[in-house]
Amino acid sequence: MTEQNPANDLLEKKHTRSNEDDSEIDVHEEWNTDPHTGLTEGEAAARLKKHGPNVLKSKALTPVKTILKVLAQSGLLILETAAITAVALRDWINIGVICSLICYIVGHTIAEQNEHISFWQDLRRSMQGAVRNLVLRNGDMVEIPSLNIVPGDVVYIEKEGAIIPADGRTVMDDGNLEVDQSAITGESEPVAKHEGDMCFSSTVVVQGEAFLIVQNTGCDTFVGRTMSLIDNASSDLRAFGALLQNVGVGIILINALILLLIWVLSLYRSNSVSKILRFTLNLVVLGVPTVLKGRVRNIKAIGAGDLTKKKVILQNLSAIESLAGADILCVDKTGTLTRNRLSLAEPYCHEGIEPDDLMLIASLTRPGNDKRLDPIDKAVRRAIRHYSRARADLLKYKMLDYQPFSISTKMMQSLVESPSGERIICVKGAPRAVLELCSRDGGLRPDSADRYKGTIAESAKNGFRSLGVARKRGNRKFELLGFMLMSDPPQHHVARLIKEARSLGLTIKMVTGDAKIIAERTAQQMGLGQNILETSQLEEQNSHSVDSLVSELVETADGFAEVFPEHKDEIVRILQERGHVVAITGDGVADSRCLKRANVGIAVEGSSEAAQAASDLVLLMPGFRTVLSAFKGARQIFHCAYAYIVYQLALALHLVIFLSWWMISQNESLDFRSLILILVATEITGLGMPKNDPLFSKSPAKMRPMKIWGSAILLGTSLAFGTGITSMLVMSNCERDGSLCWKRPFPIRDQTMVLGEQLLFLQIVLTQHWLIFITRTNGRFWISISPMHLCSTIIAVDIVATCFCLFGSLAGGVNTNVAAVTAIWIISFGTFCLAAGLYCLLHHIQGTGDLMYEEIRQETEAEVGGDNR
């Protein structure tokens, strides 16, 4: 068969058309572009320099605005208030400490943000650079990265599923171009484009071909201008965003109530204004987690970067919660569960038909462009090497027209011209559709059709997928040639991986276009259940009610057979209405809708640009192992962020409870230098948390605010109890030489109080640092060795804090007795064990893990029917 470049064919038509009609649209003159030759390389380079690369960019803030934005965060506003209070008290040392802490947090936050922005920009640039388009330059068709397309370029649009790279107008309408622009206009049906019609960037080619003269690129496109209007809008208001707001408001209200009580008591005790301000300063600085929101965002960003090393591209950070909480995965059989390498058995031929004739027609029923071959076409091309006559005759035929696979007819067809000049219609498609076509046209007797249906069913029992092949020569009737028998074996170890996924609480539902009997055979090989549901049952019954029979069938099914893209969307909708968090894989243009509807859309390796644009995740490596690694990675990120939130909230409650008790009972505040050092030490230790942690939940992760608050209150109260006991022992028994004497009654009011506060400082630092080991393992700190960087950071800070205490850095150089420091370490370890035991007990109490189940279910149901992203 003569190979043809469709771009050259369309280009010849365009030249012919323009010679007959010289009326060209204004866009040619606007950009000084010759539609027959395109731009020269020099003109393209100049325009690229002027307009920049064809990429959407976020609005960049100036350094001053960036700093002001960071300073406006609620946590830093509290520190800024504390600095102003210190100025009012003329406490210049504390002013310097607070300002240094603010500068450190601002600098560290901006550095991390710049690092993450640079990472994501490089990632997106590399992904967009991999997308290439045919462009007319110097009269020749050349393939360039879409990033380098400039206004005035003549771009050839032809690939089904391709995303139009820029705004532009079509030059001609001979290519029957249809575009899906529902993402922009909301139109549900594809829109036909004719000469002079505008095509928008990011819309998807459904079928046809055309030349496009580019008008706008990058941020100047319709999509780019729209994005600029919402650039400053917040988009992360999902589970973590809502929880952080909940935590922030809750802790501020707790502090406000305690401060109100302290102010009333202070007025009753006739305390001075400066003393009241010191009380306020202590609680405000230590009672609110200042960098919690930024830390959680960094944990998610770093985790997303780690996922890229596993060949998983996370396209938005808010999808982490949904991916970690997904309990059902609808996965395509072909390519994800199987090897995606079809192999053909000996074809089953109709009476009087030779295998070479069947393979010839099957090979002719394919696109003229090799880049548009689907897996079946590639399998046929590999197999034809074993049919010498068909291979030799193939090159003698000329392709005249090709119609891609249609969902309505379930067939594809092509029009070819034989060496003798005879025109032949070649058809390849679903066996039943081909049989009906031949029977309807009179080329096949009804009894023969029934016999072949039995043959197809028998082949399916053996795991073979059938594909009917027919032809129509000239004015004759359609003639059945036979059936190709194909198989796609499961991937190695897929049964073990499915078993592992089930152990993680994931329900796997196989989705395939094969017949039910083939799906059952495949499911058996993979270790899936045998409850396979045919999609015809979805069409026969009304499934709009959650309580309907078909909804229950969908929920309990192990897989779905004879599935088309519209069925996928229906399956996802039903499962979501049943209260499930659903993830689904897809690769084609028609899968875009279900990928958008699902809580997590996963575009598999080699998927179309449209599928990638609609999905939350893009896989760069085929196979179920990559899919499973994405779920594990998301749960690791979720667990790390969850543990950090509990950790920070418990620390805040620890200090709030202890300091409020201390101020109320003693009518004194602790030395502010000790409090600031506690804050600095905790911040340094917290830097070890945003690294990826190997621990993750063995069941779908849920964000339960009540459980978080309960855990934090339990831990904070336990630490406060330990610190309170320590304060009573230390402050009533501390000698002037830094030793402990267990005879003096509580309380005292002399210079030994400074030494006692020094020991309290050590106890608070030790217990707060060790709390990390509790929160990251749900109390069972012995089940997993903590990461080395985390242990080394904690050990280093604890050694420094111990040295501060030993050498009297907080007590005017008066050394603390080694025995006293040892006693503090023992008390701290006892407090740690108490908190770990209570926390572990909390997580094993029946029902505490499901306190927020109904809330999560309601949130999930509220998302159904709308845009989940």
Side-chain angles (χ1 to χ4, degrees):
M1 182 178 65
T2 304
E3 292 287 346
Q4 296 180 344
N5 187 332
N8 292 336
D9 291 344
L10 196 62
L11 189 58
E12 291 178 6
K13 293 179 184 179
K14 185 167 76 71
H15 277 288
T16 304
R17 184 185 179 114
S18 61
N19 290 334
E20 296 173 355
D21 184 2
D22 292 333
S23 60
E24 301 287 350
I25 56 180
D26 295 339
V27 69
H28 302 172
E29 299 177 359
E30 179 184 351
W31 289 107
N32 192 24
T33 300
D34 186 341
H36 313 309
T37 60
L39 300 175
T40 64
E41 291 297 338
E43 290 173 332
R47 297 185 185 193
L48 182 62
K49 184 177 181 180
K50 178 180 178 181
H51 298 280
N54 180 32
V55 61
L56 296 177
K57 298 179 180 178
S58 299
K59 184 179 179 181
L61 296 176
T62 63
V64 174
K65 289 184 178 180
T66 302
I67 294 174
L68 291 177
K69 186 176 180 180
V70 175
L71 289 173
Q73 294 179 3
S74 58
L76 285 177
L77 286 175
I78 293 173
L79 286 181
E80 291 155 17
T81 303
I84 295 174
T85 305
V87 170
L89 295 172
R90 297 187 177 184
D91 192 344
W92 307 116
I93 296 178
N94 292 330
I95 292 172
V97 173
I98 296 175
C99 290
S100 299
L101 183 60
I102 292 175
C103 291
Y104 161 75
I105 294 175
V106 171
H108 185 72
T109 302
I110 293 176
E112 285 188 328
Q113 287 180 355
N114 291 337
E115 181 181 353
H116 298 153
I117 291 173
S118 177
F119 169 77
W120 288 110
Q121 286 180 344
D122 292 343
L123 181 61
R124 287 172 179 160
R125 192 176 295 112
S126 64
M127 291 181 66
Q128 291 171 331
V131 179
R132 306 179 71 85
N133 294 91
L134 285 172
V135 178
L136 190 61
R137 294 271 177 91
N138 296 319
D140 297 322
M141 298 301 302
V142 295
E143 192 176 54
I144 66 170
S146 63
L147 292 172
N148 296 337
I149 292 176
V150 297
D153 260 330
V154 181
V155 181
Y156 174 56
I157 304 296
E158 57 87 24
K159 183 180 178 182
E160 179 187 353
I163 295 179
I164 293 178
D167 289 356
R169 295 189 181 274
T170 56
V171 180
M172 56 166 295
D173 62 351
D174 288 354
N176 300 317
L177 182 67
E178 290 188 7
V179 176
D180 177 8
Q181 52 188 34
S182 59
I184 295 178
T185 64
E187 297 168 280
S188 59
E189 297 296 328
V191 179
K193 295 294 182 179
H194 305 288
E195 182 170 5
D197 286 349
M198 192 71 179
C199 293
F200 297 103
S201 170
S202 301
T203 56
V204 182
V205 176
V206 176
Q207 69 173 24
E209 52 189 351
F211 278 93
L212 191 77
I213 294 188
V214 176
Q215 282 191 283
N216 299 307
T217 60
C219 294
D220 294 327
T221 61
F222 177 82
V223 174
R225 294 193 300 271
T226 303
M227 287 184 64
S228 66
L229 297 176
I230 60 175
D231 187 62
N232 295 324
S234 175
S235 60
D236 189 13
L237 292 177
R238 297 178 70 111
F240 275 120
L243 175 65
L244 293 174
Q245 288 184 352
N246 179 297
V247 169
V249 172
I251 198 69
I252 289 174
L253 286 177
I254 291 173
N255 276 275
L257 291 175
I258 292 175
L259 282 174
L260 181 61
L261 176 61
I262 291 175
W263 290 343
V264 171
L265 288 175
S266 295
L267 292 175
Y268 176 76
R269 293 169 175 173
S270 301
N271 290 335
S272 64
V273 175
S274 63
K275 194 170 189 177
I276 296 175
L277 288 178
R278 286 190 183 278
F279 288 165
T280 305
L281 192 61
N282 284 1
L283 275 180
V284 166
V285 172
L286 293 179
V288 179
T290 55
V291 292
L292 179 58
K293 186 175 182 179
R295 280 281 180 267
V296 171
R297 187 186 299 113
N298 292 339
I299 289 172
K300 293 166 68 176
I302 292 173
D306 290 337
L307 282 177
T308 62
K309 301 174 184 177
K310 302 175 182 178
K311 306 299 181 182
V312 177
I313 304 299
L314 192 65
Q315 301 206 103
N316 65 83
L317 293 180
S318 61
I320 290 175
E321 296 97 292
S322 299
L323 184 60
D327 61 330
I328 289 182
L329 171 61
C330 298
V331 57
D332 281 326
K333 175 182 76 72
T334 304
T336 307
L337 297 175
T338 63
R339 301 176 191 176
N340 198 24
R341 186 174 178 84
L342 292 172
S343 57
L344 299 184
E346 187 69 18
Y348 186 88
C349 299
H350 187 50
E351 298 173 2
I353 301 297
E354 295 292 330
D356 281 271
D357 295 328
L358 185 147
M359 294 301 298
L360 174 63
I361 297 301
S363 299
L364 291 171
T365 314
R366 68 180 181 89
N369 186 354
D370 286 348
K371 294 182 178 180
R372 299 170 65 183
L373 296 180
D374 62 21
I376 294 177
D377 295 326
K378 294 177 181 178
V380 173
R381 186 171 63 176
R382 290 193 302 268
I384 201 173
R385 294 177 297 179
H386 304 294
Y387 301 88
S388 56
R389 181 166 61 85
R391 183 179 58 186
D393 292 344
L394 182 63
L395 300 176
K396 301 176 184 178
Y397 286 77
K398 182 180 179 181
M399 174 76 73
L400 300 178
D401 191 21
Y402 171 73
Q403 294 296 326
F405 181 83
S406 170
I407 295 178
S408 58
T409 64
K410 299 181 180 179
M411 292 182 294
M412 62 188 77
Q413 65 180 25
S414 60
L415 177 63
V416 299
E417 186 177 273
S418 68
S420 62
E422 182 183 30
R423 294 199 169 191
I424 303 174
I425 298 177
C426 307
V427 175
K428 182 171 64 180
R432 294 181 182 273
V434 174
L435 286 174
E436 291 176 5
L437 174 67
C438 295
S439 299
R440 189 169 57 249
D441 197 43
L444 185 67
R445 297 193 308 271
D447 59 332
S448 298
D450 293 337
R451 186 176 71 254
Y452 283 128
K453 289 178 182 178
T455 303
I456 294 169
E458 188 64 29
S459 300
K461 290 182 180 179
N462 296 322
F464 286 103
R465 178 182 175 186
S466 302
L467 200 67
V469 180
R471 68 184 174 190
K472 181 176 182 179
R473 295 186 291 189
N475 295 323
R476 302 179 189 178
K477 298 177 181 179
F478 272 102
E479 176 186 8
L480 177 68
L481 300 184
F483 304 93
M484 294 189 300
L485 304 179
M486 304 172 293
S487 64
D488 186 12
Q491 295 178 0
H492 297 295
H493 311 303
V494 71
R496 179 179 58 81
L497 294 174
I498 289 175
K499 184 178 180 180
E500 182 182 356
R502 284 175 167 173
S503 70
L504 299 178
L506 266 178
T507 300
I508 308 298
K509 296 183 182 292
M510 182 181 68
V511 179
T512 177
D514 294 340
K516 179 179 180 180
I517 192 168
I518 299 177
E520 289 175 341
R521 174 68 178 244
T522 306
Q524 183 181 16
Q525 294 175 333
M526 297 177 182
L528 290 170
Q530 298 295 294
N531 184 16
I532 304 299
L533 181 67
E534 290 182 293
T535 52
S536 58
Q537 295 177 255
L538 294 176
E539 301 169 351
E540 293 171 358
Q541 302 186 47
N542 180 11
S543 61
H544 293 288
S545 172
V546 176
D547 297 325
S548 66
L549 174 62
V550 70
S551 297
E552 295 179 5
L553 291 174
V554 169
E555 187 176 26
T556 57
D558 297 311
F560 305 92
E562 300 182 7
V563 173
F564 286 92
E566 64 269 23
H567 298 138
K568 286 186 176 182
D569 189 62
E570 185 73 2
I571 289 168
V572 171
R573 183 188 65 80
I574 291 172
L575 291 173
Q576 287 178 326
E577 288 182 348
R578 302 289 287 187
H580 296 286
V581 180
V582 184
I584 191 169
T585 63
D587 59 356
V589 181
D591 291 332
S592 301
R593 185 175 179 183
C594 71
L595 289 172
K596 282 186 177 181
R597 178 184 286 275
N599 300 90
V600 184
I602 304 174
V604 299
E605 189 268 343
S607 57
S608 66
E609 297 171 33
Q612 293 182 10
S615 64
D616 298 294
L617 273 74
V618 178
L619 307 184
L620 303 182
M621 182 179 292
F624 189 70
R625 187 185 300 275
T626 308
V627 178
L628 189 57
S629 68
F631 280 90
K632 290 181 180 178
R635 291 191 187 181
Q636 288 175 349
I637 299 169
F638 187 97
H639 173 80
C640 195
Y642 187 96
Y644 186 74
I645 292 173
V646 174
Y647 169 71
Q648 281 288 343
L649 186 55
L651 295 188
L653 291 174
H654 168 210
L655 293 175
V656 166
I657 295 171
F658 172 71
L659 289 177
S660 59
W661 170 79
W662 180 265
M663 294 173 188
I664 292 172
S665 63
Q666 300 297 309
N667 198 27
E668 292 289 343
S669 62
L670 293 178
D671 181 39
F672 196 72
R673 291 175 300 171
S674 301
L675 299 180
I676 289 297
L677 286 175
I678 290 172
L679 188 62
V680 172
T682 303
E683 178 62 25
I684 293 174
T685 306
L687 293 177
M689 287 293 289
K691 307 299 181 182
N692 198 7
D693 200 308
L695 298 177
F696 59 89
S697 173
K698 299 300 181 182
S699 60
K702 301 293 184 183
M703 184 61 72
R704 301 182 176 95
M706 284 182 62
K707 187 175 181 181
I708 289 178
W709 273 103
S711 301
I713 291 173
L714 178 67
L715 292 173
T717 304
S718 300
L719 297 188
F721 174 78
T723 306
I725 294 297
T726 304
S727 67
M728 288 189 290
L729 293 176
V730 168
M731 301 308 295
S732 61
N733 297 283
C734 187
E735 298 291 339
R736 297 177 184 272
D737 61 354
S739 63
L740 291 177
C741 178
W742 309 107
K743 297 178 180 179
R744 183 171 303 176
F746 176 86
I748 61 170
R749 294 287 186 273
D750 58 20
Q751 63 268 35
T752 61
M753 190 170 192
V754 178
L755 293 170
E757 289 184 5
Q758 190 166 253
L759 291 172
L760 274 180
F761 159 76
L762 178 61
Q763 194 273 343
I764 292 173
V765 169
L766 293 178
T767 52
Q768 289 203 342
H769 290 177
W770 297 346
L771 184 65
I772 293 180
F773 300 125
I774 299 176
T775 58
R776 69 176 291 270
T777 58
N778 291 336
R780 298 174 296 171
F781 59 90
W782 60 87
I783 67 172
S784 174
I785 299 176
S786 298
M788 183 57 66
H789 67 270
L790 179 60
C791 293
S792 58
T793 302
I794 291 176
I795 292 172
V797 175
D798 288 351
I799 291 175
V800 171
T802 302
C803 292
F804 266 63
C805 188
L806 280 173
F807 300 113
S809 301
L810 301 176
V814 179
N815 297 344
T816 305
N817 189 279
V818 174
V821 172
T822 304
I824 294 300
W825 272 76
I826 295 174
I827 294 172
S828 300
F829 184 73
T831 304
F832 167 77
C833 292
L834 173 65
L838 293 175
Y839 194 57
C840 185
L841 181 64
L842 173 69
H843 279 262
H844 284 79
I845 295 177
Q846 184 68 27
T848 57
D850 299 320
L851 287 175
M852 290 302 295
Y853 176 75
E854 289 301 323
E855 178 180 323
I856 296 297
R857 185 184 183 93
Q858 292 170 8
E859 291 176 356
T860 303
E861 292 177 354
E863 290 181 348
V864 177
D867 188 358
N868 295 333
R869 278 169 279 288

